[in-house]
Amino acid sequence: CRLAFAVLSSVHPVFGLYGSFFPVIIYAIFGMGRHVATGTFALTSLISANAVERLVPSVRTNFTASNNSGILGLSEFEMQRIGVAAAVSFLGGIIQVVMFTLQLGSATFLLTEPVISAMTTGAATHVVTSQVKYLLGMKVPYMSGPLAFFHIYAYVFENIRTVQLEALLLSLLSIVVLVLVKELNEKFQRNIKVVLPIDLLLIIATSIACYCADMEYVYRIEVVGNIPKGLPSPKAPPMNVLPEVVTEAFGVALVGYVASLALAQGSAKKFKYSVDDNQEFLAHGLSNVIPSFFFCIPSAAAMGRTALLYSTGAKTQVACLISCVLILVVIYTIGPLLYWLPMCVLASIIVVGLKGMLMQFRDLKKYWNVDKIDWSIWVSTYVFTICFAANVGLLYGVVCTIVIVIFRFPRAKTLNLKNMKEVEYKYKAEDNCESLKQVKIVSVNSPLVFLNARKFHADLLKIIQKDGMSSQVGDTVNKCEQNTLLCSFSNGSCHGELVQSCHSERRVLILDCSGLNFFDYTGVSVLLQIYMDCKNRYIDVVLAHCKASLIKAMQYGGNLDSENPVFFESISSAIDAIQIHRVRLTSRSRWSLEGFLDAHRNLLKSGKVLFTQ
């Protein structure tokens, strides 16, 4: 894949090896993603190719040097091309470092999941399109600009008779083998400790076959050509071209950072650690600036290699540093042997490697079921990306999302006018408030969308953690002043008593959703994440005053307990369920999910429960 992404960037394949060595070392020092594999990346390579092809137009169709420049044994043409790509990497890294200095990492909340998904899917479509000429063995001129995506396919269909049958068959065979073996690896990854490196095996096998059958001359199949041995001496990128690559540099900085941050946050969530958005700006900025002095193309985190770290059980960046040793072995020993590697095989590896991004088309179904506006944003962002470029699609998605929220927020009811003290007063007058001391009620008084979802989650976790860490419960519990998003209050006056840890005593969190007027996919995801987080903390979560659309969205988007009640018509009905169970089991100081279910069945008969999952 390293060689393939260099080809995608319109530079000599050897620079893909350098781009998978130097950035990894820098990110391992400054980055916070323990499972993020940094290096050459398809989207940033495609963006930098725009600058390379514009400033140094293609004059030949293979990578074999004719007039050596003395540097790495490559031609002056190839060195000019990598100079432009290195300049894009340098300026893109400078932009990321400046964003770190300005602390702009907090602005990433504007990059919603539908926008990122649509942009990366559209960019992956562009990458596949750029590889069609290698898959078919055709000579397709470089095309860029608006609607270039459609012009490429129009040219292919007009010249369909020039397709090389041998290259097409080899491409199809490579794709079938790659997909089949990768699927088997995923299916049996729990049973096998070593994942079969099918990419490497395919490269070795096809290189040997091409050499033995002399495919380069007999069938005229394009091959990689000469790959220099060893690491290059440092050299500054050509500064005179920086003003001409500003557009591509911004694209590399933003698209690369967004894709990398998504992977870093995903791994952090999966393995329960945190990632600082601003620190990631610095890490990726330096990973672009410093390697640009070693003829490296723009870098970012790669989905395929990150998934490989998951499957191998890696826990730190040490695993990436070990991969650097393997890259060194290839650069000094194996590299020159890859002369006969067919370009159509490299293109096949790129296409199959983008499977994860292309499969994001399946997200359309969940967006349609949860929030049709998010669905429309996804579709329109994807269309803008394939019609123009990834950075244009990203900008459109952010602007479109902001405009839609601006129009939706003024129409929403942001304050809950219901007097919640009525519920509190009802149970203050009763003698059994002791049984309710493990119940906390939180009222959601604003829409829950991507703009406030992260803050909502953080504030609610603060309430839960504060309640769980206290050693005693006083006669009264002061209201927590969180922000305009949350309104939390105690459920009554309780006698002081030592509170057991959450692992030994079950607690209940009631979310009053009467003020939650509208939501988007990000908001529903946060609610489901809160549900799972609380479940892991031995806290039962129930929701009251839910709209039918919210119930449907949560039912569709998450794995709620099928046997336990989740949604109630009102706070009173939820508390009644607690009371009914605790009156029956007065000898216990807490109530369990099983008892909660019994109480819920009784409430079903009385018609107080709104819905169950």
Side-chain angles (χ1 to χ4, degrees):
C1 288
R2 279 80 170 176
L3 301 174
F5 291 147
V7 173
L8 186 60
S9 193
S10 295
V11 298
H12 193 280
V14 72
F15 299 116
L17 295 176
Y18 303 154
S20 298
F21 177 76
F22 293 103
V24 175
I25 299 175
I26 304 301
Y27 184 83
I29 298 173
F30 295 97
M32 297 186 68
R34 303 173 191 171
H35 301 81
V36 174
T38 307
T40 53
F41 183 47
L43 304 188
T44 55
S45 296
L46 188 66
I47 294 173
S48 66
N50 293 333
V52 172
E53 292 288 351
R54 186 180 75 251
L55 299 178
V56 188
S58 179
V59 296
R60 54 177 62 86
T61 59
N62 59 64
F63 297 102
T64 304
S66 55
N67 298 318
N68 293 346
S69 65
I71 304 177
L72 299 174
L74 299 176
S75 66
E76 185 64 28
F77 169 75
E78 292 296 346
M79 297 311 299
Q80 289 177 359
R81 290 201 137 195
I82 187 56
V84 173
V88 173
S89 178
F90 175 80
L91 186 56
I94 292 295
I95 293 172
Q96 290 175 326
V97 173
V98 171
M99 289 180 173
F100 161 77
T101 305
L102 298 176
Q103 298 291 291
L104 295 181
S106 57
T108 55
F109 71 91
L110 294 173
L111 304 171
T112 63
E113 183 176 331
V115 171
I116 295 176
S117 174
M119 183 273 294
T120 53
T121 305
T125 307
H126 273 298
V127 173
V128 172
T129 302
S130 69
Q131 299 305 297
V132 168
K133 61 181 179 181
Y134 297 117
L135 295 173
L136 301 179
M138 296 179 62
K139 307 299 181 184
V140 180
Y142 181 81
M143 302 180 189
S144 61
L147 304 180
F149 173 85
F150 303 100
H151 294 158
I152 292 175
Y153 284 106
Y155 182 90
V156 169
F157 284 113
E158 290 175 0
N159 298 271
I160 196 68
R161 294 183 178 180
T162 63
V163 172
Q164 275 187 298
L165 183 60
E166 296 82 3
L168 176 60
L169 292 177
L170 187 55
S171 299
L172 291 176
L173 178 62
S174 300
I175 292 175
V176 170
V177 172
L178 287 169
V179 172
L180 180 61
V181 176
K182 287 179 181 289
E183 288 293 331
L184 292 176
N185 281 339
E186 292 181 6
K187 184 176 181 180
F188 298 104
Q189 63 179 353
R190 294 184 178 179
N191 301 325
I192 56 177
K193 296 183 178 180
V194 179
V195 177
L196 184 65
I198 184 58
D199 293 354
L200 178 60
L201 295 179
L202 182 65
I203 288 174
I204 295 174
T206 52
S207 298
I208 295 175
C210 183
Y211 171 75
C212 295
D214 200 13
M215 294 183 182
E216 181 182 6
Y217 299 103
V218 175
Y219 302 106
R220 296 184 179 180
I221 290 181
E222 187 176 355
V223 297
V224 169
N226 178 56
I227 295 184
K229 181 187 295 187
L231 292 174
S233 301
K235 181 181 179 182
M239 300 299 171
N240 59 310
V241 303
L242 293 183
E244 302 181 63
V245 298
V246 172
T247 302
E248 288 80 10
F250 267 103
V252 165
L254 296 179
V255 174
Y257 173 74
V258 169
S260 301
L261 184 63
L263 287 177
Q265 291 178 338
S267 63
K269 179 180 177 181
K270 182 175 182 179
F271 296 98
K272 303 186 185 310
Y273 61 89
S274 61
V275 172
D276 184 83
D277 298 348
N278 286 304
Q279 182 64 27
E280 288 299 289
F281 257 133
L282 176 64
H284 288 290
L286 295 178
S287 296
N288 277 312
V289 172
I290 298 175
S292 67
F293 288 82
F294 295 90
F295 305 99
C296 290
I297 60 178
S299 65
M303 181 182 297
R305 295 194 293 276
T306 300
L308 182 61
L309 292 182
Y310 291 169
S311 62
T312 55
K315 296 182 178 180
T316 65
Q317 282 290 319
V318 173
C320 294
L321 295 177
I322 294 175
S323 70
C324 289
V325 177
L326 299 179
I327 295 294
L328 277 180
V329 173
V330 173
I331 291 175
Y332 279 96
T333 59
I334 303 177
L337 302 179
L338 298 178
Y339 177 100
W340 295 277
L341 175 61
M343 293 297 298
C344 60
V345 175
L346 273 183
S348 301
I349 293 175
I350 291 178
V351 171
V352 175
L354 295 171
K355 175 189 171 186
M357 291 185 182
L358 295 174
M359 293 298 287
Q360 291 178 133
F361 277 110
R362 296 182 300 183
D363 293 345
L364 284 172
K365 182 179 180 181
K366 67 180 181 182
Y367 293 136
W368 178 265
N369 284 281
V370 174
D371 185 10
K372 292 179 175 57
I373 292 181
D374 277 344
W375 180 90
S376 63
I377 291 175
W378 196 104
V379 173
S380 57
T381 301
Y382 176 80
V383 171
F384 263 77
T385 301
I386 64 172
C387 288
F388 300 97
N391 50 345
V392 176
L394 181 64
L395 178 62
Y396 165 81
V398 171
V399 173
C400 184
T401 304
I402 293 175
V403 171
I404 288 176
V405 171
I406 289 175
F407 276 95
R408 292 177 78 181
F409 257 104
R411 301 179 182 180
K413 178 182 176 183
T414 57
L415 296 176
N416 183 13
L417 301 180
K418 181 178 179 180
N419 186 7
M420 302 299 295
K421 290 186 177 181
E422 293 179 1
V423 178
E424 182 180 10
Y425 175 80
K426 176 180 178 181
Y427 291 100
K428 276 185 178 179
E430 297 183 6
D431 295 330
N432 55 7
C433 68
E434 177 70 14
S435 63
L436 294 175
K437 73 171 188 175
Q438 292 300 319
V439 179
K440 179 170 286 291
I441 305 173
V442 176
S443 179
V444 184
N445 295 323
S446 69
L448 188 56
V449 294
F450 74 96
L451 286 172
N452 61 2
R454 186 183 299 183
K455 186 67 165 57
F456 173 87
H457 189 198
D459 288 343
L460 190 56
L461 286 182
K462 287 179 182 178
I463 295 175
I464 295 172
Q465 292 169 354
K466 182 177 180 180
D467 181 65
M469 289 187 294
S470 60
S471 58
Q472 290 186 344
V473 177
D475 293 332
T476 59
V477 182
N478 295 327
K479 295 181 180 180
C480 298
E481 182 178 338
Q482 295 297 319
N483 51 36
T484 58
L485 306 180
L486 296 174
C487 176
S488 171
F489 60 90
S490 67
N491 51 32
S493 177
C494 300
H495 301 290
E497 180 181 357
L498 183 65
V499 180
Q500 300 180 8
S501 66
C502 62
H503 292 284
S504 61
E505 187 166 9
R506 204 83 185 183
R507 294 172 293 162
V508 181
L509 173 66
I510 299 177
L511 291 180
D512 175 21
C513 300
S514 58
L516 207 166
N517 295 280
F518 71 83
F519 55 89
D520 62 4
Y521 180 83
T522 304
V524 173
S525 299
V526 166
L527 283 177
L528 292 171
Q529 185 176 350
I530 289 171
Y531 178 87
M532 297 306 300
D533 288 345
C534 289
K535 185 177 180 181
N536 293 334
R537 297 170 184 265
Y538 301 94
I539 300 174
D540 300 325
V541 178
V542 297
L543 287 80
H545 299 294
C546 293
K547 292 179 171 59
S549 57
L550 177 61
I551 296 173
K552 179 181 177 182
M554 291 190 67
Q555 179 187 15
Y556 181 85
N559 297 320
L560 303 179
D561 290 343
S562 59
E563 297 296 328
N564 301 319
V566 178
F567 305 100
F568 284 86
E569 185 180 55
S570 65
I571 295 176
S572 298
S573 62
I575 295 180
D576 282 341
I578 303 172
Q579 286 293 99
I580 291 173
H581 173 64
R582 290 187 175 179
V583 167
R584 291 178 179 176
L585 303 176
T586 55
S587 61
R588 300 178 59 184
S589 63
R590 62 185 182 276
W591 60 298
S592 63
L593 282 174
E594 291 78 8
F596 187 56
L597 183 56
D598 294 336
H600 178 258
R601 290 185 180 127
N602 292 332
L603 290 174
L604 276 175
K605 297 178 181 178
S606 63
K608 291 185 177 182
V609 176
L610 176 64
F611 184 80
T612 59
Q613 168 65 21

